[in-house]
Amino acid sequence: QVQLVESGGGLVQAGGSLRLSCAASGRTFSSYAMGWFRQAPGKEREFVATITRSGGSTYYADSVKGRFTISRDNAKNTVYLQMNSLKPEDTAVYYCAADKYSGLHPRSRYEYDYWGQGTQVTVSS
């Protein structure tokens, strides 16, 4: 089992940057593909980005491509989401998630096995 704890959220002006971190417990972090999702009030939880177990390949939602970067440090059991050029529409609770069994770039929330508690990101205009 994996426990995930996100941090790094906050309030930022449009055009600014934030870096989210997700620390995982356990000794098998490198066996999980990792993903970031977000959920705005009244909306479905949506895919943001995913990274393979080795960190060698990533995939992004079109809405964040070119602005967000997902990375991981398997020695530190941590996955990151660097968010640049933030927009008000990026405002949401951001969740990290771990997937043990799915294929190359899992993008459905139902493919992920473990979730963090979320961290709020608010972008003011």
Side-chain angles (χ1 to χ4, degrees):
Q1 190 158 351
V2 175
Q3 292 185 325
L4 305 171
V5 179
E6 301 98 334
S7 61
L11 174 64
V12 63
Q13 288 189 332
S17 298
L18 281 175
R19 188 196 197 201
L20 305 184
S21 299
C22 173
S25 65
R27 295 175 290 178
T28 59
F29 178 70
S30 60
S31 66
Y32 292 86
M34 298 298 296
W36 285 96
F37 287 73
R38 65 186 182 187
Q39 188 167 16
K43 294 190 175 181
E44 295 282 320
R45 190 169 300 189
E46 66 173 0
F47 167 79
V48 174
T50 186
I51 188 166
T52 53
R53 292 159 181 79
S54 67
S57 181
T58 58
Y59 189 91
Y60 299 90
D62 288 343
S63 58
V64 306
K65 199 174 296 181
R67 299 188 297 123
F68 290 11
T69 303
I70 187 172
S71 61
R72 69 189 294 163
D73 185 338
N74 285 344
K76 294 183 178 180
N77 281 13
T78 302
V79 62
Y80 306 97
L81 186 68
Q82 177 67 45
M83 305 186 294
N84 298 330
S85 301
L86 282 162
K87 305 175 181 179
E89 51 264 43
D90 294 319
T91 295
V93 177
Y94 282 71
Y95 299 88
C96 71
D99 168 29
K100 192 167 181 63
Y101 300 108
S102 297
L104 182 60
H105 291 137
R107 280 161 276 173
S108 167
R109 59 181 293 187
Y110 302 106
E111 296 182 90
Y112 287 81
D113 305 294
Y114 302 102
W115 293 83
Q117 82 290 348
T119 186
Q120 176 70 46
V121 172
T122 303
V123 184
S124 63
S125 57

